[in-house]
Amino acid sequence: MSTARPRARIATVLASLLVAALAAAPAVASPTAAPAARHRPTPPHVVGTGTVPAYSYADAIRESVWVETRADGDGDGVRDRVAVDVVRPREAAAAGVRVPVIMEASPYYLCCGRGNEGELKTYDAAGVIAKVPLFYDNYFVPRGYAFVAVDLAGTARSTGCEDVGGPVEVGSARAVVDWLNGRARAFTGDGRQVDAGWSTGRVGMIGKSWDGSVANGVAATGVPGLATIVPISAISSWYDYMRYRGMVTAADYPGYLHEAVNGRPEEVCAQVLARLRADSAEETGNYNGFWAQRDYRPAADRVRASVFAAHGLNDLNVTTNQFADWWQELAERGVPRKLWLSQSGHQDPFDVRRAEWVAALHRWFDYWLQGLPNGVLDEPRVDLQTAPHTWTTQRDWPAPGTRDVRVPLGVGDGVTGTLGGHGARPGQEQAYVDESLTEEEVTAEPNTATAGRLVFLSGALRTPLRISGSPSVRLRIRVDRPTTELSVRLVDYGTAERVSFGGVRTLDTESCWGASTDVDDACYRDTEEITEVSDHAVLTRGWLDAAHHRTLRFTTPLRPDRSYTVTVALSAYDAVVPAGHVLGLVLGQSDPEFTETDDQDATVRVDLGRSELILPVTGRAGLPPVDVAPSVPAAPGQPSSARSARDPRQRP
């Protein structure tokens, strides 16, 4: 991080200079075009350093075109064409005012719906877009933006075949950015070629889950004209989404997702589906060329766009390493960036903190797409939820001043071991067997002997403990099978009100965010945060197929007569564990709620004296030294925050 900060400051200064230039000419032809003269009239949608609703949403131009991509994903000898639905201000077009574009590329527009209310696209009798899901068009089109909704290749009204995070999918969205900058062709439904001369060429991509993952992938191509992306609960490595360090999260996941969103006749994409199943190496769990194509992080040095990421710290669908590892790669390259972290699960900030999110998004797009010097880069980089209904800001993430503390594992009272203190002597072992426990079974009642787990507890915390970043556990083990799953959980034991994994509750009331028409309203049902009082909560989790301990590219079967040092990485987290609570580390094996796991009947022997928890913490707070772990007070009748089993094949 120390080398990234000077580069980040330089990037911020350069970005500010660019934005100032754009502010003088908000309707330039492309991001690289020379600014117009300073006497050019300010368009009516710009007042001071912000945009205002100056154009009619009801009278907006609505058009549907098909953009030609560079791929032939369905192998028919013809380049794929992706359906692109556009909503843009008519008055701006009449006045010759070019507008920037907010774009969401999605596989879900006709099959599955978008947002908390599952909205779908609808069309008029001529096949032209009538309703676009979500509020982006309603809110931003009157403020001098165009909104573009793209059906990814092979989905909805597009040709080609969906390759689930791969080059055809990403290329189909990139082609639209190219068209908006005059580098690709597009056609109407009756075959007429059309250009996007109404666009400034500056594009901001946004989307939650799969949609946000596409934005990450397009940014990683370095396509000119993509000025910013807003990935929400998004994937940056599809391997890490479908594989937990060698462990398969769900059977036939790539095939399942392809079939869920496929908009083509089954026989057209049969070969693509067969390749997805064959090339994803489910039988080994290995990282290979298939996954490298769907890993955007190594291409972070190509990213030209700024990034405004948002993620739920308790997202169990798209785990937090997806934003954290991407964020670190971007930071090292000085990419201008911003981050929102809530304590919710797989939720859109629009349904967590609605008014504040819309305001933040508005200012971000005004800065990067309209070129308005509103000072957004001078503000704290991170908005962070620290407790139910409680938010704060900080300069960066992980929290400034975070350092890794090595916490030794120690021998305890025979039921639990200790976390912290002097640890154990090298060679002191503790063994456990594979019992395929659920998360509730493996974490509840830590002072009770339970086969199939090892529990290590700190003493009661004397001061609050701030964890910020990505923990890991380094274990020295002997295993009597060629492999087994190693599962690890970091647990906060102590009664508190916590955000539920359900995240939000949908209410009967509505609020409106933009203008409406008879077929596309800007009103959405309100939500409220769900909380619960619980006696413990799993903070973060990690998994490893032990035979992948050397590399994810191939397996190394374990020998029972040999000891191995393995590192289990836990998902990134940010939390304050209150004073008086106890921090727990729980080791298990097979984890049927989270992975496609076979009980190997393995016995794992852990050398406590050579094993440790590596914990990113801030300040002077640490774990109190203990010789014997204290009992965790029972809290009968209070549910834990350990979640129930997830659908093993959910959509991102």
Side-chain angles (χ1 to χ4, degrees), residues 512-568:
C512 302
W513 302 88
S516 300
T517 67
D518 291 341
V519 294
D520 191 339
D521 70 75
C523 303
Y524 294 86
R525 292 174 67 185
D526 297 317
T527 59
E528 66 178 4
E529 193 169 71
I530 303 173
T531 65
E532 63 183 11
V533 175
S534 57
D535 60 10
H536 71 281
V538 178
L539 302 178
T540 181
R541 306 156 179 83
W543 303 266
L544 172 69
D545 169 48
H548 282 91
H549 71 279
R550 292 178 62 183
T551 176
L552 296 175
R553 295 184 179 274
F554 55 83
T555 59
T556 306
L558 307 183
R559 293 173 46 177
D561 60 339
R562 186 171 292 182
S563 294
Y564 298 86
T565 298
V566 303
T567 298
V568 183

Side-chain angles (χ1 to χ4, degrees), residues 337-338 360 363-364 374-383 393-395:
R337 62 203 185 282
K338 185 174 177 62
R363 297 184 71 243
W364 187 259
N374 56 20
V376 71
L377 289 189
D378 299 326
E379 299 168 358
R381 184 172 283 154
V382 179
D383 277 50
T393 60
Q394 61 186 38
R395 180 163 48 87

Side-chain angles (χ1 to χ4, degrees), residues 168-193:
V168 171
E169 172 186 296
V170 171
S172 69
R174 173 182 170 145
V176 180
V177 180
D178 284 333
W179 173 63
L180 292 167
N181 283 273
R183 299 188 298 267
R185 300 192 302 170
F187 303 87
T188 61
D190 58 8
R192 291 179 295 107
Q193 187 170 338

